[in-house]
Amino acid sequence: MTQKFVRTHHCNELREGDLDKTVTLCGWVHTRRDHGGLIFIDLWDKRGLTQVVLNPQIDQLAHQEAQSLRGNYVIAVTGTVRKRPEGMVNPKLETGAIEVYVADLAILNKSETPPFPGWEEAEVSEALRLKHRYLDLRSPELQRNLKTRYDITRVVRNVLHEADFTEVETPMLTKSTPEGARDYLVPSRLNPEKFYALPQSPQLFKQILMVSGLDRYFQITKCFRDEDLRQDRQPEFTQIDMEMSFIDEPQLFQLIESMMKAIYKEVKGIDIPTPFPILKYQDAIDRYGSDKPDLRFDLEIVDLSKEVEGTDFKVFAEALKNGGQVRALNAKKSSEALSRKVLDDLTEVAKTYGAKGMAWIKVNADGLQSPIAKFFKKEMLDAMMAKLGAEVGDTIVFAADTPRIVADSLAHLRLAIGKHLNLIDTSLIRFAWVTEFPLLEWDETEKRYVAMHHPFTSPMDEDLGKMESDPAGMRARAYDLVLNGSEIGGGSIRIHNQDVQKKMFGLLGIGKEEAQVKFGFLLEALQYGAPPHGGIAFGLDRIATILCGAASIRDVIAFPKTQKATCLMTQAPSAIDPKQLKELKLKFDLS
Amino acid sequence: MTQKFVRTHHCNELREGDLDKTVTLCGWVHTRRDHGGLIFIDLWDKRGLTQVVLNPQIDQLAHQEAQSLRGNYVIAVTGTVRKRPEGMVNPKLETGAIEVYVADLAILNKSETPPFPGWEEAEVSEALRLKHRYLDLRSPELQRNLKTRYDITRVVRNVLHEADFTEVETPMLTKSTPEGARDYLVPSRLNPEKFYALPQSPQLFKQILMVSGLDRYFQITKCFRDEDLRQDRQPEFTQIDMEMSFIDEPQLFQLIESMMKAIYKEVKGIDIPTPFPILKYQDAIDRYGSDKPDLRFDLEIVDLSKEVEGTDFKVFAEALKNGGQVRALNAKKSSEALSRKVLDDLTEVAKTYGAKGMAWIKVNADGLQSPIAKFFKKEMLDAMMAKLGAEVGDTIVFAADTPRIVADSLAHLRLAIGKHLNLIDTSLIRFAWVTEFPLLEWDETEKRYVAMHHPFTSPMDEDLGKMESDPAGMRARAYDLVLNGSEIGGGSIRIHNQDVQKKMFGLLGIGKEEAQVKFGFLLEALQYGAPPHGGIAFGLDRIATILCGAASIRDVIAFPKTQKATCLMTQAPSAIDPKQLKELKLKFDLS
């Protein structure tokens, strides 16, 4: 009980209304200037700056001590609030009309010169910033990001509380069920040769809670995936996880829309319109090539497979012959912007997504300019141009291949062209639901069906009859929420019928015994009165990144990891004491 | 989008004011009674019961279908709210004045007969309940507990938000620093031979956040300890974790007291008085033998070491000669309740905590009754009895040994006597702060000092000078919050000075190199302007258990683990695919 000061105000609080008050401020020395026998300190805390002044005529000792102050020193000052002299007012600073004349100064901690300033933008490598994350986190941008992230969770909790949800914690040490991504495993010392897995999602626990009659569950919780990390993936990520009993899609959509509305309103002060548009999966693929289309701009895909039927152009003819498609984008008024150089770059984009090349046509005043126009009869060209609504100044880019490659390459061409032509109004906020996903996908490596969403997703009622006859044709009661071209959440109505769940495991090639070992508790729970239920989960990191306008999810996570899943600050993961390994009855196998 | 019903009310919502409304309810068949050609169903959801009636004259088909209904079937009913006939009103049920006449019935799921009823108390082993946790969680008690736990977190979040805290998530995959309990380890596939540790607490990260200027941090988060589990310990537990810059103990205590006040007020409707009493560690030990005393009853320890000085009674004389103590409890008006049998039981309690036996004296109307009275001169007995305030009807129990054993055994004798004599008013709520803990404890096994709280706890300013001369005599700026004899939280003002932190590591026998490897990032952070800071962490499971009046923390955790750290429902931990182990470059070493 030995502290000698009690902070009365923070560093962005004092105003002209506080003149003559005796105050105590605590913070960091941001800058120090010696001028006219006085010492001026800009005192920093996360809320802002206050100028404090040391005058030898007020306190000789404090003034003397202040001469040792350097940047990042931590101090407490007690003094009187005064109006700044005429001409010294700083209108850029919220506290810019006042300064604090110091009567008492305490140096609470010194500081070495840091490797970078911390609270200013600096040209510093991300690696150095991550190593000294404590300095990096002093930057106004990261402070703001952490606050925004917190604000989002507050709004979510309030909305869900009002909607009668209960937050329930599910276990972190749980069971490995290698279906989906790779688990992080935790050896059990008390149960040798056995492992826990860190959860990839609380999926089965939240379903169990519905069987328990909890009715409405949510949780903001960490999930884990041991994947080879791509840009913007983290080994641990935070999920806003929800589940509800006795609901259907319209009820769920309405609730989520009100939640998103509240987030934008309270965090950004922006009203967003609801309801969100609903796009069927196949429509999204047909129109945008993607199940997470960016709807801030149009540039829709046009199918030309019919128009080019019978063409001599070998690339198109081959594609059609093999059950493929010919589709195109019409980039309006792009003839200048899409130079030969840019078209070459776009061709590379197309190739990245499996296309063998990229045909194009420019609609010039004096006719069509294109390496491929010569392969088409005029009637065919006219039909294509008509369907594309082509006018002088437009550029058409084509994809001809399997439906998958056509969709993938046109989706990315659409985004690349949208960016290049500045079609994307970044102030727009465009939500959409995507529904009616295929239930199953064929996995070419494993030679079996895998669940597109997960094995607990209910087929659509109208497709239940196809379970034996046409499993690939079944659609799922799954839905994604897409925001400006990012999938920010996804969920489904679940299977609540034990027989359907067993059949589903069968379709996925999970034998009876395996199903029992991995999912026995779920199957058992389903037989004791499981209610119809469904839910959704959102990636908090992704949502926070979008709302913060951040460049990377690492900028909305206090202590992110690198793409090698390491923490540059703590040096985790690290070597352990051999004794620890021995206790787990494990040894290395580097063969 | 295929659901055919939309729930309009839950099962504890309809009242007489709702008569004649058309409603849709969803829930579980709790009971079914056939009577006078009608079928009566008590329909259950977590909020309560509503009676629904199937009348063949209203809907022949529904009535017919209802004949197949059994307990735990999940149904949706649409019908009209009617007043129950005279004499059929059930005043015990909140919906007891009405019933719903069903026009439409949908059976949403069937149910097998469960192994136990779920929503009623039943004599079922805990193992069976944990295996079928989905049924167990239907019980009103567990539903209430989960709700109370959630309510506590809501109050905490609201109070801390008002006090300008920001919730920040710290990593789950972090660094193993084997100081304290045993870590749960997670092998890193991307970094072979290296491991993450699951956090025992976010201690270092929250200190780093203070260095970052975050000012006030909190988090409700999972922590992990791989210990041999005792009763009421779980491998993962939830911590309410906080840290503040520029504060001292009085400010922190006040904030926490307002938080506890809000929890009791909002969750239990009880006003608790603040401020909480503050007990110094040594006083707590002297008066109650424990640093987590139950203050709901008195029965304080009396030191008789002076009074018995020079005694011939060998047990006491030996204890004093070896630097020990002689102390006693006076159980007032206990002569009947503390029979010989009970005194024998109490002796066993004392022995459990290291005592060699337990001397006692009963103050009878006709004099002292005791196996040991004869060893003392009358003057000595008189002095003892005077100090004890002994009166006819009292029983004195003694402990004579090292200070440690005297404290431990008397602490437990005090609790045992308190319980046996019914001295504990369980309606009382007695908080206390315990402060001025020793900074260090001598570890006899490791032959070195260990930190009593943790290595980052600041010594008291007045004791800083003892760092070289008398480390064992240093007191810490640590504090525990005790509630009714349970430690529910603990914390400290931290070391913010790099030199002091280095010296502290030195005292703990952590060499310079080791300190650098394990805690280099902390030491480095401390040199760039670390503010004075401190914090506290609470065990949410423990607090919820007390507020729920639950018998075990397992009753306030949705999916608890057994004492062998297994989940009986999912069978975690479990064997894994050898491929998974191989990917981690590990193999078993069962030698």
Side-chain angles (χ1 to χ4, degrees):
Chain A
M1 320 266 177
T2 49
Q3 195 149 319
K4 287 137 208 116
F5 57 90
V6 172
R7 176 167 59 176
T8 61
H9 296 77
H10 62 68
C11 291
N12 193 17
E13 195 168 357
L14 295 170
R15 301 286 185 271
E16 274 189 278
D18 298 305
L19 294 184
D20 299 324
K21 280 187 191 162
T22 299
V23 300
T24 298
L25 302 181
C26 301
W28 285 258
V29 174
H30 191 255
T31 58
R32 178 189 126 200
R33 296 182 313 281
D34 296 33
H35 185 73
L38 305 177
I39 297 176
F40 294 87
I41 306 277
D42 272 352
L43 191 65
W44 177 90
D45 71 18
K46 68 168 182 171
R47 299 177 191 85
L49 293 176
T50 301
Q51 178 166 286
V52 306
V53 185
L54 291 118
N55 183 336
Q57 292 176 339
I58 293 182
D59 189 327
Q60 179 71 35
L61 197 72
H63 183 266
Q64 213 158 28
E65 247 193 324
Q67 288 174 356
S68 74
L69 292 180
R70 296 167 53 196
N72 299 291
Y73 274 40
V74 186
I75 62 174
V77 295
T78 299
T80 310
V81 184
R82 302 221 183 153
K83 209 173 147 88
R84 292 205 198 179
E86 284 301 312
M88 305 293 274
V89 169
N90 181 351
K92 284 191 212 149
L93 214 58
E94 292 182 79
T95 62
I98 60 95
E99 56 194 10
V100 173
Y101 261 64
V102 175
D104 192 32
L105 165 72
I107 299 179
L108 305 176
N109 214 346
K110 299 183 177 189
S111 173
E112 301 293 318
T113 304
F116 57 95
W119 43 50
E120 281 155 27
E121 299 257 336
E123 282 298 317
V124 183
S125 75
E126 188 175 20
L128 192 68
R129 295 202 291 121
L130 289 175
K131 177 167 165 29
H132 301 281
R133 189 66 171 172
Y134 36 91
L135 296 174
D136 200 25
L137 284 172
R138 285 183 190 164
S139 74
E141 187 196 333
L142 289 188
Q143 294 269 345
R144 204 167 40 234
N145 289 357
L146 291 184
K147 178 67 167 48
T148 299
R149 182 186 176 105
Y150 168 56
D151 287 341
I152 294 168
T153 65
R154 273 183 40 78
V155 177
V156 167
R157 284 199 162 90
N158 288 340
V159 169
L160 296 181
H161 183 74
E162 288 303 313
D164 209 16
F165 281 73
T166 304
E167 187 165 20
V168 177
E169 295 175 67
T170 54
M172 288 282 128
L173 295 172
T174 178
K175 182 172 171 163
S176 179
T177 50
E179 180 71 19
R182 198 186 284 105
D183 286 323
Y184 273 106
L185 296 175
V186 184
S188 168
R189 181 182 55 88
L190 292 172
N191 304 277
E193 298 185 81
K194 294 194 171 171
F195 288 74
Y196 304 98
L198 300 180
Q200 295 187 29
S201 102
Q203 184 61 33
L204 294 178
F205 290 105
K206 66 179 178 174
Q207 292 192 234
I208 290 289
L209 287 172
M210 295 303 104
V211 178
S212 301
L214 192 85
D215 209 278
R216 297 190 157 201
Y217 144 96
F218 85 101
Q219 191 181 190
I220 301 182
T221 189
K222 283 281 175 70
C223 298
F224 304 83
R225 279 185 204 160
D226 182 12
E227 293 298 341
D228 298 321
L229 301 178
R230 287 183 278 145
Q231 185 71 15
D232 260 21
R233 281 280 177 90
Q234 287 281 313
E236 56 184 288
F237 54 97
T238 304
Q239 199 155 296
I240 302 169
D241 192 49
M242 304 163 54
E243 196 78 6
M244 281 161 277
S245 294
F246 304 116
I247 50 111
D248 59 11
E249 291 87 339
Q251 294 171 70
L252 186 139
F253 289 6
Q254 200 182 5
L255 176 81
I256 298 305
E257 286 163 5
S258 71
M259 187 173 99
M260 289 298 158
K261 206 177 175 73
I263 290 174
Y264 264 95
K265 183 69 186 170
E266 294 181 38
V267 177
K268 306 284 282 183
I270 297 174
D271 281 302
I272 55 166
T274 54
F276 301 154
I278 298 175
L279 265 174
K280 289 180 189 169
Y281 171 84
Q282 195 54 54
D283 289 343
I285 297 293
D286 286 344
R287 293 166 59 187
Y288 307 102
S290 165
D291 58 2
K292 44 180 183 179
D294 189 336
L295 300 179
R296 290 175 296 180
F297 67 112
D298 294 331
L299 194 58
E300 292 194 17
I301 295 170
V302 178
D303 187 14
L304 299 172
S305 304
K306 275 228 177 84
E307 283 69 16
V308 301
E309 221 167 70
T311 179
D312 297 333
F313 183 44
K314 217 173 136 190
V315 176
F316 286 12
E318 288 271 314
L320 292 179
K321 204 181 76 186
N322 297 324
Q325 307 167 329
V326 176
R327 297 188 170 196
L329 295 168
N330 179 1
K332 307 293 293 179
K333 295 179 190 150
S334 62
S335 58
E336 278 178 40
L338 298 186
S339 63
R340 274 308 285 263
K341 162 86 181 62
V342 174
L343 287 170
D344 286 349
D345 290 348
L346 290 175
T347 305
E348 289 311 306
V349 170
K351 283 182 178 170
T352 308
Y353 296 95
K356 287 171 210 85
M358 186 192 78
W360 54 266
I361 295 177
K362 285 195 161 202
V363 187
N364 292 342
D366 56 355
L368 301 182
Q369 171 197 354
S370 168
I372 67 162
K374 60 187 172 203
F375 297 109
F376 297 92
K377 294 205 193 81
K378 182 169 185 307
E379 296 74 43
M380 206 173 259
L381 280 173
D382 286 348
M384 285 160 67
M385 294 302 121
K387 188 152 188 198
L388 287 159
E391 297 166 304
V392 169
D394 294 355
T395 309
I396 322 295
V397 300
F398 294 86
D401 213 304
T402 64
R404 182 84 185 236
I405 291 175
V406 167
D408 278 357
S409 52
L410 287 180
H412 289 90
L413 287 173
R414 178 177 176 266
L415 291 175
I417 293 170
K419 255 175 227 165
H420 192 77
L421 298 182
N422 251 327
L423 301 178
I424 306 173
D425 177 350
T426 53
S427 74
L428 290 179
I429 297 153
R430 285 289 178 265
F431 281 97
W433 292 105
V434 180
T435 63
E436 302 195 14
F437 284 85
L439 184 70
L440 305 170
E441 283 181 306
W442 183 254
D443 185 317
E444 202 41 59
T445 325
E446 300 207 22
K447 300 284 178 209
R448 65 172 180 105
Y449 284 117
V450 295
M452 187 152 175
H453 189 58
H454 57 51
F456 318 107
T457 297
S458 179
M460 286 177 67
D461 282 11
E462 7 338 16
D463 294 347
L464 268 173
K466 299 183 188 166
M467 220 147 187
E468 276 90 33
S469 59
D470 178 22
M474 296 174 86
R475 289 161 302 163
R477 291 182 71 181
Y479 30 80
D480 279 356
L481 185 59
V482 173
L483 168 56
N484 292 352
S486 284
E487 184 227 307
I488 61 167
S492 63
I493 303 295
R494 325 298 181 189
I495 297 168
H496 67 279
N497 179 294
Q498 197 199 35
D499 290 335
V500 177
Q501 186 64 69
K502 280 183 178 165
K503 276 187 196 158
M504 183 70 186
F505 287 144
L507 284 180
L508 300 173
I510 303 174
K512 271 187 193 164
E513 206 177 320
E514 190 186 351
Q516 195 53 42
V517 168
K518 284 183 182 169
F519 306 113
F521 67 101
L522 175 71
L523 289 172
E524 202 163 26
L526 291 182
Q527 79 189 350
Y528 295 123
H533 62 285
I536 192 164
F538 295 92
L540 175 61
D541 308 293
R542 189 77 58 86
I543 293 175
T545 304
I546 294 174
L547 267 87
C548 291
S552 155
I553 60 168
R554 290 188 299 282
D555 293 335
V556 299
I557 296 172
F559 301 101
K561 292 198 172 58
T562 65
Q563 283 192 49
K564 274 214 74 177
T566 62
C567 170
L568 296 182
M569 185 180 77
T570 61
Q571 299 297 326
S574 59
I576 57 169
D577 192 320
K579 196 178 70 185
Q580 290 174 284
L581 202 57
K582 195 145 187 71
E583 280 186 322
L584 299 173
K585 303 209 179 296
L586 287 172
K587 59 183 174 189
F588 293 119
D589 177 16
L590 302 174
S591 60
Chain B
M1 319 267 176
T2 49
Q3 196 148 317
K4 287 136 207 119
F5 56 89
V6 172
R7 176 165 61 176
T8 61
H9 296 78
H10 61 68
C11 290
N12 194 16
E13 195 167 358
L14 295 169
R15 301 287 185 269
E16 272 188 280
D18 299 305
L19 293 184
D20 298 324
K21 281 187 189 160
T22 299
V23 300
T24 299
L25 302 180
C26 300
W28 286 257
V29 174
H30 191 255
T31 58
R32 177 188 127 202
R33 296 182 313 282
D34 296 32
H35 186 73
L38 305 177
I39 296 176
F40 295 87
I41 307 277
D42 273 352
L43 190 65
W44 177 90
D45 70 20
K46 67 168 183 173
R47 300 176 190 86
L49 294 176
T50 300
Q51 178 165 287
V52 306
V53 186
L54 291 117
N55 183 334
Q57 292 175 339
I58 293 183
D59 188 329
Q60 178 73 35
L61 198 72
H63 182 268
Q64 213 159 27
E65 246 194 324
Q67 290 175 355
S68 74
L69 293 179
R70 295 166 54 194
N72 298 291
Y73 274 40
V74 186
I75 60 174
V77 294
T78 299
T80 311
V81 185
R82 302 222 184 155
K83 207 173 149 90
R84 290 204 197 181
E86 283 301 313
M88 305 293 275
V89 170
N90 182 350
K92 284 191 211 146
L93 215 58
E94 292 183 80
T95 62
I98 59 93
E99 57 196 7
V100 173
Y101 261 63
V102 175
D104 192 32
L105 165 73
I107 299 179
L108 305 176
N109 212 345
K110 299 184 177 188
S111 172
E112 300 294 317
T113 303
F116 57 93
W119 43 50
E120 279 154 28
E121 299 254 338
E123 282 297 319
V124 183
S125 75
E126 188 175 21
L128 192 68
R129 295 202 290 120
L130 289 175
K131 178 166 162 32
H132 301 280
R133 190 65 171 174
Y134 37 89
L135 295 173
D136 201 24
L137 284 172
R138 285 183 189 165
S139 75
E141 187 195 335
L142 289 189
Q143 294 269 345
R144 203 166 42 233
N145 289 356
L146 292 185
K147 179 68 167 48
T148 299
R149 182 186 177 104
Y150 168 56
D151 287 341
I152 294 168
T153 64
R154 273 184 40 81
V155 177
V156 167
R157 285 199 162 90
N158 288 338
V159 169
L160 295 181
H161 183 73
E162 287 304 311
D164 209 15
F165 281 73
T166 305
E167 188 164 20
V168 177
E169 294 177 67
T170 54
M172 288 283 128
L173 294 172
T174 175
K175 182 172 170 162
S176 180
T177 51
E179 181 71 17
R182 196 184 285 105
D183 285 323
Y184 272 106
L185 296 175
V186 184
S188 168
R189 182 182 55 89
L190 292 172
N191 304 277
E193 296 185 82
K194 296 196 171 170
F195 288 74
Y196 305 99
L198 299 179
Q200 295 186 31
S201 101
Q203 184 60 36
L204 294 178
F205 289 105
K206 66 179 178 175
Q207 294 192 231
I208 291 290
L209 287 172
M210 295 303 104
V211 178
S212 302
L214 192 85
D215 209 280
R216 297 191 156 200
Y217 143 95
F218 84 101
Q219 189 182 193
I220 301 181
T221 188
K222 282 283 176 69
C223 299
F224 304 82
R225 279 184 203 160
D226 181 12
E227 294 298 339
D228 298 321
L229 301 178
R230 287 183 276 144
Q231 186 69 17
D232 260 20
R233 281 278 177 91
Q234 288 281 313
E236 57 183 290
F237 54 97
T238 304
Q239 200 156 293
I240 302 168
D241 193 50
M242 305 163 55
E243 196 78 6
M244 281 162 277
S245 293
F246 303 115
I247 51 112
D248 58 11
E249 290 85 339
Q251 293 171 69
L252 184 140
F253 289 6
Q254 201 182 4
L255 176 81
I256 298 305
E257 287 162 4
S258 72
M259 186 174 99
M260 289 299 161
K261 206 178 175 73
I263 290 175
Y264 264 96
K265 182 69 186 172
E266 292 180 40
V267 178
K268 306 283 283 183
I270 296 174
D271 280 304
I272 54 166
T274 53
F276 301 152
I278 298 175
L279 265 173
K280 289 180 188 169
Y281 171 84
Q282 195 53 55
D283 289 343
I285 298 293
D286 287 344
R287 290 166 62 187
Y288 307 101
S290 164
D291 59 2
K292 45 179 182 179
D294 189 336
L295 301 178
R296 288 175 298 178
F297 66 112
D298 294 331
L299 195 59
E300 292 194 17
I301 295 169
V302 178
D303 186 16
L304 299 173
S305 303
K306 275 228 176 84
E307 283 69 18
V308 301
E309 220 168 69
T311 178
D312 297 333
F313 182 43
K314 218 172 133 188
V315 176
F316 286 12
E318 288 272 315
L320 293 178
K321 205 181 74 187
N322 298 324
Q325 306 166 331
V326 177
R327 296 188 169 196
L329 295 168
N330 179 1
K332 308 293 293 181
K333 296 182 188 149
S334 63
S335 58
E336 276 177 43
L338 298 187
S339 64
R340 276 304 288 263
K341 164 83 181 62
V342 175
L343 288 169
D344 287 348
D345 290 347
L346 290 175
T347 305
E348 289 311 307
V349 171
K351 284 181 177 170
T352 308
Y353 295 95
K356 289 172 209 84
M358 184 192 79
W360 53 267
I361 295 178
K362 285 196 158 201
V363 188
N364 291 342
D366 57 355
L368 301 182
Q369 171 198 351
S370 168
I372 66 160
K374 59 187 173 205
F375 296 110
F376 297 92
K377 295 208 192 77
K378 183 170 182 310
E379 296 73 43
M380 206 172 261
L381 280 174
D382 285 349
M384 286 159 66
M385 292 303 122
K387 186 150 191 202
L388 287 158
E391 296 167 307
V392 170
D394 293 355
T395 310
I396 322 296
V397 300
F398 294 85
D401 212 306
T402 63
R404 181 84 185 236
I405 291 174
V406 167
D408 278 356
S409 54
L410 287 181
H412 288 91
L413 286 173
R414 178 176 176 268
L415 291 176
I417 293 170
K419 252 174 230 167
H420 192 78
L421 297 183
N422 251 325
L423 301 179
I424 306 174
D425 178 350
T426 53
S427 74
L428 292 178
I429 297 153
R430 286 288 180 267
F431 281 97
W433 292 105
V434 180
T435 63
E436 300 194 16
F437 284 85
L439 184 69
L440 305 170
E441 283 180 306
W442 183 254
D443 186 317
E444 202 42 60
T445 326
E446 300 207 23
K447 300 285 178 208
R448 66 169 181 107
Y449 284 116
V450 293
M452 188 152 175
H453 189 58
H454 58 51
F456 318 107
T457 297
S458 179
M460 286 177 67
D461 281 11
E462 339 30 338
D463 295 347
L464 269 174
K466 299 183 189 169
M467 222 149 185
E468 277 91 31
S469 60
D470 178 21
M474 295 175 87
R475 289 161 301 163
R477 292 182 71 180
Y479 31 79
D480 278 356
L481 184 60
V482 173
L483 168 57
N484 292 351
S486 284
E487 184 228 308
I488 60 167
S492 63
I493 304 297
R494 326 297 182 187
I495 297 168
H496 68 277
N497 178 295
Q498 196 199 37
D499 291 335
V500 176
Q501 185 64 67
K502 280 182 177 165
K503 277 186 194 159
M504 183 69 186
F505 286 144
L507 285 179
L508 299 174
I510 302 174
K512 269 185 196 165
E513 205 176 322
E514 189 185 352
Q516 196 52 44
V517 169
K518 284 183 183 171
F519 306 112
F521 66 101
L522 175 71
L523 289 172
E524 203 163 22
L526 291 182
Q527 80 190 351
Y528 295 122
H533 62 286
I536 192 163
F538 295 92
L540 174 62
D541 308 293
R542 189 76 58 87
I543 293 175
T545 305
I546 295 174
L547 266 86
C548 291
S552 154
I553 60 168
R554 290 188 298 283
D555 293 335
V556 300
I557 296 172
F559 301 101
K561 292 199 171 56
T562 66
Q563 283 192 48
K564 275 214 75 179
T566 61
C567 170
L568 296 182
M569 185 180 77
T570 60
Q571 299 298 326
S574 59
I576 57 167
D577 192 320
K579 196 178 69 184
Q580 291 173 283
L581 202 56
K582 193 140 190 73
E583 280 186 322
L584 299 172
K585 303 211 179 293
L586 288 172
K587 58 184 174 186
F588 293 119
D589 176 17
L590 301 173
S591 60

